[in-house]
Amino acid sequence: MPAPLPTSASKRKSAARHLLLVFAVTALSLAPTCGKRKPPLPPIERIPQRTERLTGTQRGNQIILSWPAPLRNAGDGSVQSIRRVDVYRVAEKLRAPLPMTEEEFATRAILVGSVTYDEIKKAGVNLTYTDTLELTEPARLRYAIKYVNASGERAAFSNFFLMEPTARVAAPPTITGKEESEAANTIIWEAPKANIDGSTPVNLLGYNVYRTAASTAAQNPLNQELITATQYQDKTFKFGEKYIYVVRSVSLSTEGQRVESLDSNPLELTQDDKYPPSAPTLAQPGVAPGRLALFWSASPEPDVAGYLLYRSTDPNAPKPWTLLTPAVYTKTTFTDQNVEASKTYYYYVIAVDNAGNKSQPSEVVSETVP
């Protein structure tokens, strides 16, 4: 006997079972998996790939390029770590067209040098590269740099920096001597006899003086205005601090700008404070029963630490007399109450500076206690 045909009710039950099976499989696929959750991945560090702030300046026969150091760099193990900066240069004729594409620059440029990984790691605010030239004929120089990462991949070129270096830059001066005084360190030098290309007359506008100390590097010249003499007085020095001085000639560039020479020979100078302050002026003592009041003028030197007051009853006694102030005394008045009636006392005062230098004694004054 043949099997009965399925009814519409049985078809509906089969479709419902099939739909429930689909829902179950979908729910299982969306259920959370077993095991620990992994911590979220840190954001990917974005490494600067180029700079748009390449600039430079001429000093003597050198072009000193400068640009901001990358604010962040990937770790040593990352392929994104900037491992060096390549410096490129194109020499052009002065009247060559100013526009140049990156493709044309890449074709014509030569690699003049690189900033190493050690220099990048030690960099402060800026990175620098010095290109030493042989200034034989006028030319326009065009520079650009490229970052290179640990896998050897090169970034795009930076902006172009253009410079028309001046060949007739005065040679550096020669420091020949110094003079030391309480008020200043005086640096003395000899003027250059020729320009760096050997030509004369010397293209000389004046000089700038730089000072480097252990605590601060020389960023700007000490002089506010260009020096036209061959000596300079540094009145801002501090006793006991080691300084290194250099002088640079200043010339006029082909573009009408000022160009400095390379550094002169350095002069190292440390001046100890060996200068005593001037002697105070001690006034006639004021008289009162059982006491004598003493007054003196302050010494004008800014490094005076205080005063020492001495007393004796014998004006011919060898000095120093009895010290009334057990330590350096910072006031300019003193009341002597350890006195006896009808007795005459003699006084003098000396000034002492921060280095321990003592002035000459003041004039001796005297008074009799009533």
Side-chain angles (χ1 to χ4, degrees):
M1 182 175 182
L5 296 173
T7 66
S8 60
S10 63
K11 287 182 179 179
R12 286 197 297 271
K13 288 181 181 180
S14 176
R17 284 198 297 272
H18 180 72
L19 186 61
L20 286 174
L21 181 60
V22 170
F23 283 156
V25 172
T26 303
L28 287 173
S29 65
L30 294 177
T33 56
C34 299
K36 292 185 178 180
R37 290 186 177 182
K38 295 182 179 180
L41 295 175
I44 298 174
E45 187 79 23
R46 298 184 64 86
I47 307 302
Q49 292 299 305
R50 66 194 301 263
T51 180
E52 292 287 349
R53 296 169 62 186
L54 176 66
T55 186
T57 186
Q58 180 180 358
R59 186 177 302 157
N61 65 331
Q62 296 178 340
I63 304 298
I64 302 172
L65 301 173
S66 175
W67 62 95
L71 296 179
R72 290 189 179 94
N73 197 7
D76 290 349
S78 171
V79 294
Q80 296 298 323
S81 173
I82 299 172
R83 292 306 177 95
R84 73 174 190 272
V85 184
D86 288 341
V87 181
Y88 296 85
R89 181 186 70 206
V90 169
E92 313 168 20
K93 293 183 179 181
L94 293 179
R95 295 185 179 180
L98 283 174
M100 181 179 291
T101 64
E102 287 194 13
E103 292 76 12
E104 184 181 359
F105 182 86
T107 302
R108 297 175 54 186
I110 62 171
L111 177 64
V112 295
S114 300
V115 178
T116 66
Y117 187 45
D118 286 340
E119 292 172 306
I120 294 173
K121 290 191 293 185
K122 296 175 183 177
V125 176
N126 292 319
L127 286 168
T128 62
Y129 178 83
T130 300
D131 186 19
T132 301
L133 307 172
E134 293 185 6
L135 300 172
T136 55
E137 59 183 45
R140 180 200 300 149
L141 302 181
R142 187 184 299 257
Y143 291 91
I145 63 171
K146 273 189 174 185
Y147 293 140
V148 182
N149 66 17
S151 63
E153 296 174 333
R154 290 170 172 79
F157 282 116
S158 69
N159 61 299
F160 293 147
F161 169 69
L162 280 69
M163 162 71 71
E164 295 180 13
T166 303
R168 292 181 63 250
V169 177
T174 303
I175 295 180
T176 56
K178 64 180 180 179
E179 292 178 359
E180 299 178 10
S181 70
E182 184 178 9
N185 287 337
T186 301
I187 317 303
I188 304 168
W189 61 87
E190 186 178 277
K193 295 180 172 59
N195 299 309
I196 56 175
D197 62 354
S199 64
T200 55
V202 181
N203 179 12
L204 182 64
L205 298 177
Y207 306 94
N208 285 329
V209 176
Y210 292 83
R211 183 186 74 189
T212 302
S215 56
T216 56
Q219 300 291 336
N220 299 303
L222 290 174
N223 48 294
Q224 299 297 317
E225 302 292 336
L226 208 59
I227 303 168
T228 55
T230 55
Q231 66 176 28
Y232 177 78
Q233 289 186 332
D234 176 16
K235 297 181 180 180
T236 62
F237 78 100
K238 293 181 180 180
F239 289 114
E241 188 155 0
K242 177 182 175 181
Y243 297 108
I244 298 176
Y245 294 91
V246 296
V247 185
R248 296 175 188 165
S249 303
V250 179
S251 303
L252 188 66
S253 75
T254 54
E255 298 175 325
Q257 305 296 321
R258 292 179 176 180
V259 178
E260 290 186 323
S261 71
L262 299 180
D263 291 344
S264 69
N265 55 310
L267 172 67
E268 185 177 308
L269 200 160
T270 304
Q271 188 178 176
D272 295 325
D273 186 356
K274 51 185 179 290
Y275 306 99
S278 56
T281 300
L282 186 59
Q284 188 66 24
V287 180
R291 69 188 67 175
L292 293 175
L294 297 118
F295 309 87
W296 58 89
S297 62
S299 297
E301 291 77 12
D303 63 338
V304 168
Y307 304 90
L308 299 174
L309 180 65
Y310 295 85
R311 186 188 76 177
S312 177
T313 55
D314 179 6
N316 298 315
K319 295 177 180 178
W321 295 346
T322 301
L323 180 63
L324 296 182
T325 49
V328 175
Y329 187 70
T330 58
K331 298 180 180 179
T332 56
T333 62
F334 184 85
T335 300
D336 187 6
Q337 302 184 46
N338 187 21
V339 295
E340 299 177 17
S342 303
K343 207 167 189 178
T344 301
Y345 294 91
Y346 301 85
Y347 301 89
Y348 70 85
V349 65
I350 66 172
V352 183
D353 67 16
N354 292 326
N357 298 307
K358 296 180 180 179
S359 72
Q360 291 295 315
S362 68
E363 295 291 331
V364 174
V365 297
S366 62
E367 189 56 80
T368 302
V369 181

